[in-house]
Amino acid sequence: MSFQADLLVTNARVRTLTGPGHTGTASSVAIWGGRVLAVDEDVPAREVLDVDGAVVVPGFHDAHNHMAWYGLALAEVDLRLGSLEAVYDAVAARAATLPPGAWVIGEGYDENKIGAHPDRDALDRASGGRRVWLKHTSGHMCVVSSALLEDLGLASAARDVSGGLVVTDDSGRPTGLLQETAQSLLSELVLPYPTATLVDAVERAGRAYLAEGLTSVVEAGVGGGWIGKSPVEVAAYQAALDAGRLPVRTELMVTSDVLHDVAAHADDGFGPGLGRGLDLGIRTGLGDDRLRLGPVKVFSDGSLIGHTCAMTEDFADTPGVRGYLQADAEAITERIVTAHRAGWRVATHAIGDAAIDLVLDAVERAQASVPRPDARHRIEHFGVARPDQVRRAAALGVVPVPQGRFVGEIGDGMLRALGPERAGWAYRGRSLLDAGLPLVGSSDRPVVAGAPLLGMHDLVNRRTDAGAPLGPEEAVTGLEALVAYTHGSAYASHQEGSRGRVAPGYLADLAVLSDDPATCDPGAIRDVAVLATLLGGEVVHTA
């Protein structure tokens, strides 16, 4: 019996993203053993998938998302609404359906769109005195009702929180707004989530991802800090994988909070103090192509639209306010340096340009102490980056991971915060490519809607949802946006040799599209439909 491929995808317009300028194309893909066997070859196969002229591209890769958070949010009250009254109405409607003692939990409000943060007293009235927890779309703040403030000992007065703020009114009474690390005060009441709950959330999110052509994601923070859901969060992802309930390939960032001193021999290269890590010397890279550990996640500052990111100059719409770091500058630097010494890739959240300066200084210091070629440390968001910082990131080999989708969904708030002079520094695209840096596709979902084609649309069009241009000089082409969400994201994960292209030996992860985002009208990229998604050569979603 002659050799046969497992599947032949034919009658296709394949964007292989190979060759000079990622311009390679083909008309068929042969798949065997979960990987691409051949392109544009007449290979006999046990099954044939005729896509009737549709466009086939590598499966999309989101380099920064919050999978468990998004999956949990799908079961919470959706607060992406147009007015403050609509938020209160939504709280009241959910409260009316709940048994006594149950919390009202909502997610996704944006004070830039509804006019103000919700207030504890109004939440009390809307909920009938229930415990209410409403999460800001950025994830960097939340509002709680009086019942929860009472639980936290904050009903009548605030207390200092390092790296965060319990916001008060003019009389010193807490308003219910908790910023940055002040959110961690809730941890004793809500964490940890049960592993079974997290497995449900991960599967729920993953099924939604497949429908959008996503086959790989990076979960940007597990295990600790305000972003983690459980100290055994990795076990939840392992349980999901074992049960066949982890729909997409997943890389997990471990929050720096869970690292601790690890004993090792003095010759092991960890530097003074041996370094900080996880037990048994576990670090970046453990796992396989379905589930693996990625970088250690470090937080340096907060949110741009929430005005808590660390800036070198005042926000345009709030004179005198420059945000703040989430910890002492030297403490943040030490986290980055010690993680580097212990062999981790480091992914540091830095949105404001003052925070970006700090991170670049720390990476330079880390490499000076223990040189590591091609470490590929990352700056998550790289939100407000001066031209000199773009050049310096390129020189240091640091990979920025911006979110082009922010331009559309929360760009109007960013414009107000930055003003016209600095608007072009926000979530850059063209400048990164011109400096020789990869452009990486990511969403930060559920901060914004995370469909990759929406992200590509905003990378190309650079207009806010209200229609205002936001740094139009940072626009990229449709092909460059497609590469960002495939090869670029794979590069950020040190996985560009196995995913992000349609080429022999690469994982057979594919998205079948109704049109080509590289060549269609720029204004129509967001309307391109995902017809099917293949993971390892298996059709895992059809429209």
Side-chain angles (χ1 to χ4, degrees):
M1 180 178 176
S2 61
F3 173 81
Q4 289 183 308
D6 296 326
L7 178 70
L8 180 67
V9 180
T10 188
N11 193 14
R13 293 180 287 154
V14 184
R15 281 277 179 190
T16 64
L17 303 186
T18 56
H22 303 278
T23 56
T25 60
S27 60
S28 66
V29 184
I31 298 167
W32 181 72
R35 292 183 180 259
V36 175
L37 175 68
V39 294
D40 256 353
E41 292 187 22
D42 186 16
V43 177
R46 283 187 285 274
E47 292 186 52
V48 175
L49 177 62
D50 186 326
V51 298
D52 194 25
V55 174
V56 174
V57 299
F60 300 137
H61 187 308
D62 190 328
H64 183 117
N65 94 117
H66 300 281
M67 192 173 184
W69 174 11
Y70 175 62
L72 291 167
L74 290 173
E76 297 168 352
V77 182
D78 186 355
L79 301 178
R80 288 171 172 80
L81 303 168
S83 72
L84 196 55
E85 287 307 313
V87 169
Y88 295 139
D89 289 345
V91 169
R94 177 59 64 92
T97 69
L98 297 175
W103 293 25
V104 176
I105 302 177
E107 190 275 334
Y109 87 85
D110 183 353
E111 84 284 4
N112 294 286
K113 296 182 178 181
I114 62 177
H117 291 282
D119 176 79
R120 63 184 281 187
D121 296 324
L123 291 179
D124 295 344
R125 292 190 293 270
S127 67
R130 286 180 183 273
R131 290 172 174 81
V132 181
W133 177 24
L134 305 185
K135 306 169 192 176
H136 190 266
T137 187
S138 68
H140 287 263
M141 58 193 74
C142 65
V143 175
V144 297
S145 64
S146 295
L148 276 174
L149 288 173
E150 185 74 38
D151 292 339
L152 299 174
L154 299 172
S156 58
R159 66 174 183 264
D160 290 337
V161 179
S162 176
L165 185 64
V166 178
V167 176
T168 60
D169 60 20
D170 292 339
S171 69
R173 179 176 181 259
T175 65
L177 178 60
L178 306 177
Q179 293 182 342
E180 301 302 339
T181 56
Q183 296 182 100
S184 297
L185 298 174
L186 286 167
S187 295
E188 291 184 7
L189 304 179
V190 299
L191 296 180
Y193 283 89
T195 295
T197 298
L198 294 177
V199 171
D200 289 343
V202 164
E203 182 178 33
R204 193 182 300 127
R207 295 298 171 195
Y209 292 176
L210 292 177
E212 298 168 349
L214 275 165
T215 54
S216 295
V217 299
V218 178
E219 164 61 72
V222 301
W226 65 264
I227 198 72
K229 308 304 178 191
S230 167
V232 294
E233 202 161 352
V234 174
Y237 282 85
Q238 288 183 298
L241 179 64
D242 291 344
R245 299 177 63 190
L246 184 63
V248 295
R249 304 186 193 277
T250 305
E251 181 177 29
L252 303 175
M253 289 186 190
V254 177
T255 60
S256 62
D257 309 70
V258 303
L259 301 188
H260 53 267
D261 291 332
V262 178
H265 193 278
D267 292 341
D268 284 345
F270 295 113
L274 301 183
R276 291 171 62 79
L278 298 180
D279 293 332
L280 303 178
I282 292 171
R283 60 175 173 83
T284 303
L286 182 70
D288 58 22
D289 59 28
R290 287 305 304 265
L291 180 64
R292 67 195 297 267
L293 289 186
V296 64
K297 175 73 174 290
V298 176
F299 281 94
S300 71
D301 71 344
S303 160
L304 175 54
I305 61 170
H307 296 67
T308 58
C309 64
M311 302 286 288
T312 58
E313 299 180 21
D314 297 354
F315 292 104
D317 57 348
T318 49
V321 176
R322 296 188 177 188
Y324 49 86
L325 297 172
Q326 288 200 4
D328 174 77
E330 185 56 32
I332 295 170
T333 299
E334 192 61 20
R335 288 176 196 167
I336 295 169
V337 172
T338 55
H340 167 90
R341 286 174 178 161
W344 290 87
R345 279 191 293 126
V346 184
T348 308
H349 170 114
I351 290 181
D353 63 332
I356 293 172
D357 278 335
L358 171 65
V359 177
L360 292 173
D361 287 346
V363 170
E364 187 169 20
R365 179 167 145 187
Q367 287 285 25
S369 66
V370 180
R372 279 174 53 197
D374 198 22
R376 261 183 242 185
H377 297 315
R378 303 165 36 144
I379 294 183
E380 306 305 300
H381 310 300
F382 206 64
V384 185
R386 303 186 310 267
D388 64 291
Q389 293 175 321
V390 174
R391 294 189 295 269
R392 192 177 177 204
L396 289 171
V398 171
V399 180
V401 182
Q403 289 72 45
R405 175 62 189 145
F406 281 15
V407 172
E409 190 164 330
I410 59 177
D412 294 298
M414 295 196 301
L415 270 175
R416 287 192 291 272
L418 293 176
E421 294 80 9
R422 290 178 290 177
W425 296 359
Y427 297 89
R428 292 174 178 269
R430 172 57 52 203
S431 293
L432 303 184
L433 292 172
D434 289 348
L437 288 160
L439 181 58
V440 176
S442 75
S443 67
D444 202 19
R445 186 185 347 220
V447 173
V448 295
L453 286 158
L454 290 178
M456 292 180 216
H457 180 97
D458 288 335
L459 284 170
V460 172
N461 292 281
R462 295 289 302 195
R463 284 189 174 273
T464 72
D465 282 356
L470 197 164
E473 68 276 10
E474 291 296 326
V476 302
T477 68
L479 177 59
E480 289 166 336
L482 175 61
V483 172
Y485 267 94
T486 49
H487 183 266
S489 295
Y491 179 90
S493 287
H494 247 308
Q495 294 292 300
E496 73 276 13
S498 64
R499 63 191 77 178
R501 287 177 172 155
V502 183
Y506 277 65
L507 293 168
D509 300 345
L510 307 172
V512 183
L513 309 177
S514 64
D515 204 347
D516 187 349
T519 58
C520 72
D521 181 273
I525 296 174
R526 66 188 307 153
D527 300 320
V528 173
V530 177
L531 305 178
T533 305
L534 283 72
L535 186 79
E538 295 186 16
V539 178
V540 289
H541 168 78
T542 56

